[in-house]
Amino acid sequence: SHPRLSGSNDFIASRRNSLKLADHINKLNKDIEVFPYSSAYHFYEQYDTIVTETAVNLSICILAVMIVSFCMLGFQFYPSLVILISITMVIVDMMGVMVMVGIPLNAISLVNLIMSVGIAVEFSAHIVKSYVSSPFTCPRRKAKFALVTTGPSVFSGITLTKFVGIVVLAFAKSKLFEVFYFRMFLSVIVLGVTHSLIFLPAFLSIDFMGFINNGFYL
């Protein structure tokens, strides 16, 4: 038995210590198998593999997005790589936001992170598609064309509609909806639009081939 536990950290530490104690007892006594049990333990088993599951699932999702983007953009590697970089940055920033606003990594936030990959694609893919279909050859003019022609649609058609859809969650009485859904989805919308309208045009306007041809190896 253990003293009264008051939070997730206490339950996680209690379960891990109980497992260590049971393993130690089982090594000393081979006749009877001892195992710890608590009605709350099955809720905290997820934390044994949550970091590994997060890394594996996010990697699979981002890789799948790059493969689909590669096919949809006419088998062009560079635009697909740009989308991959943008989505990865959004997810990394999302994890930073989770730390800043106190959102723990668990099964719910993991699902939201995976959903954030799909939402981030919607922001970046349109800009990159417009960049690829631009009639210009200069990267700066192609980036400007993408921002001017597609940027307003990304802001009004994607950002504002999604914001209106989730703003009602800010008034939810349930802490679950307010923390894990409103905060996370608001964060991915803000990060997605800033990456698509600020980072992507700036990154796409860089003439990497010009740097390489002039001897500046990146």
Side-chain angles (χ1 to χ4, degrees):
S1 63
H2 46 67
R4 183 179 179 84
L5 306 177
S6 59
S8 295
N9 292 332
D10 291 342
F11 280 103
I12 294 171
S14 171
R15 180 177 176 275
R16 290 177 178 173
N17 291 332
S18 299
L19 289 172
K20 292 179 181 179
L21 179 60
D23 290 339
H24 179 70
I25 295 174
N26 289 328
K27 289 179 181 179
L28 298 177
N29 185 6
K30 302 295 183 180
D31 298 328
I32 301 176
E33 182 180 358
V34 178
F35 62 92
Y37 174 79
S38 172
S39 59
Y41 280 173
H42 64 279
F43 291 108
Y44 296 95
E45 290 183 2
Q46 60 178 307
Y47 293 103
D48 292 341
T49 59
I50 191 66
V51 175
T52 303
E53 292 291 335
T54 301
V56 170
N57 283 281
L58 287 178
S59 299
I60 293 174
C61 289
I62 294 174
L63 181 61
V65 166
M66 183 179 180
I67 294 174
V68 174
S69 300
F70 179 73
C71 297
M72 298 299 292
L73 294 175
F75 302 99
Q76 300 185 54
F77 178 75
Y78 177 67
S80 306
L81 180 62
V82 172
I83 293 177
L84 173 68
I85 294 173
S86 177
I87 294 174
T88 303
M89 292 177 64
V90 170
I91 297 303
V92 172
D93 292 343
M94 277 289 297
M95 293 180 179
V97 171
M98 289 172 59
V99 174
M100 292 177 60
V101 300
I103 301 176
L105 179 61
N106 53 32
I108 299 176
S109 55
L110 172 56
V111 171
N112 289 339
L113 281 175
I114 295 174
M115 293 174 61
S116 298
V117 174
I119 297 174
V121 173
E122 195 172 5
F123 287 101
S124 58
H126 293 288
I127 296 293
V128 176
K129 179 64 172 64
S130 182
Y131 175 89
V132 171
S133 60
S134 169
F136 303 103
T137 56
C138 174
R140 296 184 66 178
R141 298 189 69 180
K142 288 168 69 71
K144 182 178 179 180
F145 175 84
L147 183 61
V148 171
T149 57
T150 311
S153 299
V154 171
F155 182 77
S156 61
I158 300 177
T159 307
L160 295 182
T161 54
K162 279 182 168 49
F163 177 77
V164 172
I166 68 162
V167 71
V168 294
L169 295 176
F171 306 99
K173 295 181 179 180
S174 171
K175 205 67 176 177
L176 175 69
F177 285 99
E178 194 271 330
V179 173
F180 286 98
Y181 291 97
F182 172 72
R183 293 184 187 179
M184 292 194 70
F185 287 143
L186 177 63
S187 299
V188 73
I189 290 173
V190 173
L191 293 172
V193 70
T194 52
H195 280 78
S196 64
L197 299 183
I198 299 175
F199 166 74
L200 276 181
F203 187 81
L204 291 170
S205 65
I206 300 175
D207 187 4
F208 289 101
M209 293 305 299
F211 279 113
I212 294 175
N213 293 332
N214 291 327
F216 298 96
Y217 294 93
L218 299 179

